[in-house]
Amino acid sequence: MTEPRYTPLRARHEALGASFTDFGGWQMPVRYTSDLAEHHAVRQAAGVFDISHMAEFTVRGGAAAEYLDYALAGRLSAMSIGKAKYSLLLSEDGGIIDDVIVYRLQADDFLIISNAGNRDAVREALTARVGEVEGDVAVADVSDDYALIAVQGPKAAEIVASIEGIDDVSVPWDEQKYYAWASAVYRGKPLLLARTGYTGEDGFELLVDAADAADLWDAALAAGTEHGLVPAGLAARDTLRLEAGMPLYGNELSRETVPAQAGLGRVVVSDKERFVGKAALADGATGTGTQAGRTLIGLSAEGRRAGRAGYPVVLEDGTVVGEITSGALSPTLGHPIAMAYVNPSHAEEGADLFLDVRGTKIPATRTALPFYRRKK
Amino acid sequence: MTDLNTLKYSEEHEWVALDGTTATIGITDFAADALGDIVFVELPEVGAEFRRGDVFGEAESTKSVSELYAPVTGTVVEINDAVVDDPALLNSSPFGDAWLIKVEVADGALDGLLDRDAYVAHTEA
């Protein structure tokens, strides 16, 4: 049993009355007041999230871009400086070790943000792959140096632009694009403003020196309160990301899942000369274990009873054809939604599928992901 | 406001108020807080019979599902439709408007349940 870890914002969360939950070994705020109020605030105004538990790695050196083309599923060498890209870290057998966001900071300088629970696995895989490419590459785990604060919601840009103490922003606020970043300074130290997020809304993720995280959190709240910004916890983050159809490692993604099963085939650039996992995927790898030969779909149902992770997806006669990986009563849509792995023969539109909710069969309709799409 | 000291409590976080032979049953604020925002409640039919410890319903929040355990043995004589229609009442008024069911019970039905101090000690354990 390892000691629970806390982010640099622990005292702030406690002062706000947060309930905590274990997440990947971290004690994280699950809610401050109400899951639903926090969820709706992000859809209608903005929420501020502590995501400092996530892990950060730098990849630097003359061969950094070529190295990432080999180590990850995407073609990161084709990314412009200033951009961000979603990618996958695969195992030799094509399974997903983690999903990550890669930022190209300079030609030979990249930042990778990975899931908290996979920090060790990502570090091990990235480090092991350094020796498999020629040229100069250095991978460093800088997770403990930084805190990450997300401001998400339709008012996020307005709020972040008005946070006191942020100076020297490298890109004018009205020119900052989604899945891109700008550099800035907060309290004299470098700040990365990444216009990315996990909620389906516009938003920013602010990477700041861990020592300044509490001040930046306070400044974000001070700037945002008049716009309706509230602190939001993991419960809201999970219902928001589910509505946005984003897969969660440990639910939709695992070492037993190959990208195409999770609807992430487009993330794999298979015409690269070589990358880890290529041979297995070329051989038509279908994953192993319970996910073998299954495909991820979205399901919607009527009423208010939600299917939960682990519940079976069944046919009318009770035949099990799949399993829910994430499910909730959608706060925004007002009806139950779920992501589930099902046998491909039952994945087509119009299939007669049911959620087995503790013995009760609830009719479900195949729904294209995402369930929720923000208005542009 | 209900005087919480007049209620009895189960270790599974239900409360009971006894009036004659009619026991009103709800869930505690501790349970409601732990669940988060409650969005769905399933209650039994009037006439259903339960023994102490049986599952008599479910409360679902955005994040989780919790079974409701009967703290007493008896027969359901009334259910609270208001809380079925608006499960958020369980968060806002767990000891008041959000009672769940009324049960006809026999003598001694409350034996073995916790008083307020013991229940609070249980939740802090």
Side-chain angles (χ1 to χ4, degrees):
Chain A
M1 194 66 199
T2 51
E3 286 292 303
R5 304 189 63 183
Y6 289 88
T7 76
L9 296 171
R10 176 183 186 175
R12 293 298 188 277
H13 304 320
E14 287 174 346
L16 288 162
S19 310
F20 287 83
T21 190
D22 178 82
F23 190 83
W26 293 77
Q27 285 294 305
M28 297 301 291
V30 62
R31 74 179 66 81
Y32 298 86
T33 54
S34 149
D35 316 338
L36 291 175
E38 292 162 23
H39 180 110
H40 292 312
V42 173
R43 289 275 178 258
Q44 289 156 14
V48 58
F49 300 81
D50 178 12
I51 53 171
S52 301
H53 58 310
M54 299 191 76
E56 293 87 25
F57 301 88
T58 56
V59 179
R60 290 175 175 152
E66 293 70 30
Y67 160 81
L68 288 173
D69 284 352
Y70 169 72
L72 300 180
R75 195 187 296 282
L76 292 310
S77 61
M79 178 168 45
S80 310
I81 296 168
K83 297 292 189 193
K85 198 171 181 66
Y86 180 82
S87 197
L88 297 169
L89 183 69
L90 303 178
S91 62
E92 284 290 352
D93 66 5
I96 299 170
I97 296 174
D98 201 10
D99 61 337
V100 299
I101 307 271
V102 184
Y103 298 86
R104 190 163 203 172
L105 304 180
Q106 300 298 333
D108 299 337
D109 186 357
F110 294 80
L111 175 75
I112 298 177
I113 298 189
S114 84
N115 287 298
N118 291 331
R119 176 180 171 179
D120 293 344
V122 170
R123 186 180 50 242
E124 283 164 23
L126 289 178
T127 305
R129 293 170 193 187
V130 166
E132 295 165 26
V133 292
E134 298 205 355
D136 173 27
V137 184
V139 171
D141 182 342
V142 295
S143 306
D144 294 336
D145 300 344
Y146 294 104
L148 201 53
I149 294 171
V151 179
Q152 296 280 307
K155 299 280 181 65
E158 200 179 338
I159 291 166
V160 173
S162 68
I163 293 175
E164 202 162 323
I166 297 182
D167 295 307
D168 299 344
V169 180
S170 64
V171 180
W173 287 102
D174 56 2
E175 292 174 23
Q176 291 182 21
K177 300 280 195 293
Y178 197 56
Y179 264 75
W181 60 270
S183 66
V185 167
Y186 184 71
R187 294 191 169 249
K189 289 182 225 168
L191 170 72
L192 188 81
L193 295 166
R195 198 163 198 170
T196 50
Y198 197 55
T199 59
E201 298 296 337
D202 186 18
F204 288 84
E205 295 177 318
L206 310 181
L207 187 75
V208 64
D209 193 295
D212 296 317
D215 286 335
L216 180 59
W217 173 268
D218 292 344
L221 275 173
T225 302
E226 66 180 286
H227 298 285
L229 172 119
V230 300
L234 281 183
R237 185 167 154 88
D238 194 47
T239 47
L240 290 159
R241 73 94 197 162
L242 174 57
E243 288 181 346
M246 295 186 184
L248 175 64
Y249 202 90
N251 287 44
E252 285 73 38
L253 308 182
S254 71
R255 294 227 184 197
E256 286 71 47
T257 313
V258 295
Q261 286 174 319
L264 297 174
R266 63 185 158 72
V267 178
V268 182
V269 179
S270 50
D271 63 358
K272 287 190 294 182
E273 190 181 331
R274 63 177 197 132
F275 63 95
V276 178
K278 177 170 180 165
L281 296 178
D283 288 344
T286 58
T288 59
T290 56
Q291 252 66 280
R294 295 192 166 187
T295 186
L296 189 70
I297 63 168
L299 291 166
S300 299
E302 308 256 324
R304 300 187 67 78
R305 295 191 88 177
R308 307 281 175 172
Y311 289 9
V313 177
V314 300
L315 304 179
E316 188 151 28
D317 67 4
T319 306
V320 175
V321 295
E323 184 176 299
I324 295 171
T325 48
S326 296
L329 176 64
S330 164
T332 306
L333 305 172
H335 61 73
I337 58 174
M339 289 197 268
Y341 277 105
V342 299
N343 296 337
S345 56
H346 295 286
E348 71 275 14
E349 299 272 342
D352 279 330
L353 297 174
F354 296 81
L355 312 180
D356 181 344
V357 179
R358 302 183 296 286
T360 303
K361 287 207 292 286
I362 296 177
T365 308
R366 168 94 200 248
T367 305
L369 299 173
F371 298 103
Y372 163 88
R373 201 183 290 275
R374 75 176 185 263
K375 297 175 195 75
K376 297 282 179 184
Chain B
M1 184 65 197
T2 310
D3 179 356
L4 302 185
N5 291 310
T6 66
L7 305 178
K8 293 289 190 177
Y9 301 85
S10 71
E11 291 190 352
E12 289 77 32
H13 310 291
E14 276 85 22
W15 57 261
V16 185
L18 190 65
D19 179 8
T21 58
T22 304
T24 303
I25 294 169
I27 65 169
T28 65
D29 55 348
F30 178 87
D33 288 348
L35 273 167
D37 289 321
I38 298 167
V39 294
F40 177 82
V41 176
E42 181 169 86
L43 296 177
E45 305 272 333
V46 168
E49 294 179 20
F50 290 98
R51 299 196 63 77
R52 180 184 288 188
D54 288 352
V55 172
F56 74 89
E58 292 174 353
E60 290 194 30
S61 68
T62 48
K63 283 298 287 174
S64 62
V65 182
S66 188
E67 294 185 318
L68 304 171
Y69 295 95
V72 296
T73 296
T75 304
V76 177
V77 293
E78 191 178 347
I79 67 165
N80 186 357
D81 290 321
V83 78
V84 174
D85 293 342
D86 181 12
L89 281 177
L90 281 166
N91 293 106
S92 59
S93 184
F95 295 109
D97 300 336
W99 60 274
L100 295 172
I101 56 174
K102 293 182 192 284
V103 175
E104 197 65 17
V105 297
D107 282 348
L110 304 190
D111 291 352
L113 292 175
L114 307 174
D115 63 19
R116 182 70 190 169
D117 289 345
Y119 175 70
V120 170
H122 168 65
T123 61
E124 289 169 354

